[in-house]
Amino acid sequence: MQISRRDNTPDNAMLINFTNLRRARTARPLVIERGRGIFLIDENGREYIEGTASFYSAALGFSNDDLTEAAIRQMRSLPAYASGIYRTVPAALALGERLAALAPMKGARVAFASTGSEANDFLIKFMRFRNAHLGQPKRTKVIARTGSYHGGTMATAALGGFPGTAAAFNLPMDDALTVSQPDYINLALAGESEDEFTARMLLEIEQTIEQAGPETVGAMILDPVSYSAGCVLPPRGYLTGLRELLTHYGVQMFDDEVITGFCRTGNMFAADTFGFTPDCMTLAKALSAAYQPISAIVMSGAFYDVLERASDAIGTMPHAGTYSGHPVAAAVALRMLEIIEERDLVGHVRAVAPRLHTHIHAMAGHELVFNTRALGLGGAVQFHPIKDQRGARGQAMQQAMMDHGLLLRVVGDTINFAPPLIITTAEIDEMMRRFTAALETLPRETA
Ligand SMILES: Cc1ncc(COP(=O)(O)O)c(C=O)c1O
């Protein structure tokens, strides 16, 4: 039977993500056709460096044959099967074991999902399940930090994120508590030392818990380095102090490592870099180098044990996802974990990161630059805003960089760097050459 086509215009519906929908109707997007290493080629044959690894995800660049072959092998042996009801696939089992062994928490247990948003959303749901079983059904509130993005679902879009998102979507906000982004560079008071700033940030969180009523607060979710807030590095003592504070109030610490997981900060996880142990961790993006959609929720044994008891009490865990632990995605992620070891990606990041830091910090003296920061294979150059036009310089730089064959994420007037982890020092030099050339085309007036 012939399937009839309706009279819809074909390219209207596709571009929604962080896009002005009216503009998307008329402006043709950049259409990327191919990739090789850290380079991309668009439909017109123009070449770009992807300096933020495509939303911080394509950790091995765009042409890793090992991952492709792992996917093909799995596609040939078992391309689809839903894990659940006491059935699963070897790749999901092996991946769960491997992740649990890597995690910093004691007795870690792993559940799968398909995206970072879903992992965070599921985790919040698990928290509510757990607390209800513990006889604390009021512990439903989640604290997040302004500017920290945790996803696009109903629950996660209400947390922190871009100011105005929750209101724009008219999201239920009763259980979302918002505290400041610990951005010492931009939010310190005049003369405030870094230690004083950390203490003030922790006090704000304590007061938020006290005001809400500690018996109503279930968790705090945080991205240890907040790229969505402009590559905000945690001030000294913040994460370890936060760990103590949350433990004191019985509030779970949810470590969103969707961006920072898998070598980005120079260790396997940012929790290792900053020396704290979360209660739960969410992983996505680099977990499969973004070759397949897969995410993971890693829970401490203590957190998981309550889920186990709660499911026992009602007979089952009333939760599932058809693609949670999808065989092809799991096989690719498993191969990714092997590659991290085989290629010593942590060692590679540590070896090439100083080159990136040197380049980034060399920008500090530029008249348009307000601040530079770097950690592991990431960092940012923050410009002085143009007077009364916050973000305009960032947008101008966005265009200039594209004209010079460079794709980076722009947050206001801050330009984030987080290249694929496989980048070489020569490629870092080339990326920064393009960045500098783009910068030189920007008008100079700082006022
Ligand atoms: C820190 C963080 N958490 C969660 C998410 C959501 O992940 P996804 O887009 O895979 O749903 C993102 C996405 O950029 C993120 O940066």
Side-chain angles (χ1 to χ4, degrees):
M1 192 180 103
Q2 174 121 35
I3 298 185
S4 63
R5 295 185 68 130
R6 292 178 211 276
D7 182 25
N8 287 340
T9 3
D11 22 85
N12 275 346
M14 59 190 197
L15 262 188
I16 282 198
N17 295 350
F18 297 151
T19 297
N20 176 295
L21 303 191
R22 179 177 296 284
R23 197 179 145 212
R25 259 187 192 269
T26 48
R28 184 154 177 86
L30 176 65
V31 180
I32 301 295
E33 277 189 355
R34 280 170 294 130
R36 178 134 297 275
I38 66 162
F39 297 93
L40 295 168
I41 308 287
D42 75 9
E43 60 184 344
N44 301 314
R46 285 207 59 197
E47 177 235 67
Y48 303 84
I49 290 177
E50 205 356 309
T52 10
S54 179
F55 275 35
Y56 316 96
S57 64
L60 299 187
F62 302 96
S63 54
N64 187 284
D65 289 337
D66 290 332
L67 292 185
T68 305
E69 275 157 24
I72 292 170
R73 266 197 310 278
Q74 184 63 49
M75 290 285 268
R76 291 219 165 98
S77 62
L78 183 69
Y81 199 73
S83 286
I85 324 179
Y86 311 102
R87 296 168 199 165
T88 189
V89 297
L93 272 183
L95 181 63
E97 275 169 28
R98 201 101 186 211
L99 285 174
L102 286 174
M105 299 88 94
K106 255 209 228 133
R109 296 298 194 115
V110 178
F112 292 114
S114 302
T115 66
S117 306
E118 228 185 25
N120 286 329
D121 193 289
F122 288 173
L123 179 56
I124 291 163
K125 193 176 80 172
F126 293 174
M127 174 202 82
R128 295 172 74 118
F129 183 63
R130 178 181 186 273
N131 290 345
H133 182 77
L134 289 174
Q136 301 173 5
K138 284 200 198 133
R139 268 200 193 257
T140 53
K141 293 182 182 155
V142 179
I143 305 170
R145 293 121 31 111
T146 309
S148 283
Y149 180 79
H150 298 292
T153 64
M154 289 275 286
T156 56
L159 295 171
F162 306 113
T165 300
F169 285 97
N170 195 15
L171 296 175
M173 289 291 291
D174 295 349
D175 291 320
L177 300 172
T178 309
V179 296
S180 304
Q181 181 66 225
D183 182 352
Y184 178 61
I185 302 301
N186 289 286
L187 299 181
L189 303 173
E192 193 175 33
S193 72
E194 189 169 339
D195 291 338
E196 288 163 350
F197 179 77
T198 297
R200 182 159 67 83
M201 291 293 105
L202 294 178
L203 182 64
E204 183 197 359
I205 296 166
E206 180 159 20
Q207 286 170 342
T208 301
I209 296 172
E210 287 287 356
Q211 260 166 30
E215 72 289 353
T216 69
V217 184
M220 174 157 173
I221 188 165
L222 59 118
D223 40 352
V225 176
S226 187
Y227 276 90
S228 56
C231 193
V232 173
L233 304 178
R236 191 168 47 236
Y238 174 85
L239 289 168
T240 45
L242 184 62
R243 172 67 279 183
E244 273 180 37
L245 179 69
L246 298 180
T247 302
H248 173 75
Y249 281 102
V251 172
Q252 301 288 311
M253 188 178 195
F254 291 169
D255 176 19
D256 179 340
E257 298 241 10
V258 166
I259 288 183
T260 50
F262 307 106
C263 317
R264 177 62 63 195
T265 64
N267 287 289
M268 190 60 92
F269 303 113
D272 303 319
T273 299
F274 296 108
F276 70 98
T277 308
D279 295 294
C280 299
M281 212 163 70
T282 47
L283 304 167
K285 298 194 189 254
L287 168 59
S288 64
Y291 280 35
Q292 286 285 307
I294 183 167
S295 59
I297 303 156
V298 189
M299 296 160 273
S300 70
F303 186 94
Y304 185 86
D305 284 350
V306 184
L307 299 189
E308 195 173 288
R309 293 205 300 274
S311 86
D312 214 16
I314 59 171
T316 189
M317 177 77 174
H319 167 90
T322 303
Y323 305 120
S324 299
H326 188 279
V328 180
V332 169
L334 200 53
R335 188 73 192 101
M336 173 63 181
L337 296 188
E338 287 167 5
I339 291 170
I340 288 176
E341 276 184 37
E342 282 166 20
R343 296 180 60 167
D344 183 18
L345 277 189
V346 171
H348 174 75
V349 165
R350 290 181 186 177
V352 301
R355 187 66 154 250
L356 179 66
H357 298 192
T358 304
H359 277 295
I360 287 178
H361 291 311
M363 303 281 164
H366 193 282
E367 63 189 291
L368 297 187
V369 173
F370 166 66
N371 179 258
T372 59
R373 42 198 177 265
L375 175 80
L377 205 44
V381 172
Q382 181 174 353
F383 295 129
H384 292 285
I386 297 173
K387 193 161 181 277
D388 300 329
Q389 292 181 64
R390 211 158 261 282
R393 181 160 282 137
Q395 282 314 306
M397 184 62 179
Q398 172 101 285
Q399 188 54 55
M401 291 189 299
M402 282 178 67
D403 294 344
H404 287 82
L406 179 58
L407 302 176
L408 292 173
R409 284 285 285 157
V410 177
V411 180
D413 290 304
T414 298
I415 318 295
N416 284 350
F417 295 84
L421 301 175
I422 53 161
I423 197 167
T424 62
T425 48
E427 288 168 342
I428 289 173
D429 291 348
E430 174 58 14
M431 175 171 76
M432 299 313 290
R433 189 195 65 71
R434 294 181 190 195
F435 183 86
T436 313
L439 180 55
E440 289 318 309
T441 68
L442 293 193
R444 274 295 173 275
E445 77 287 358
T446 45

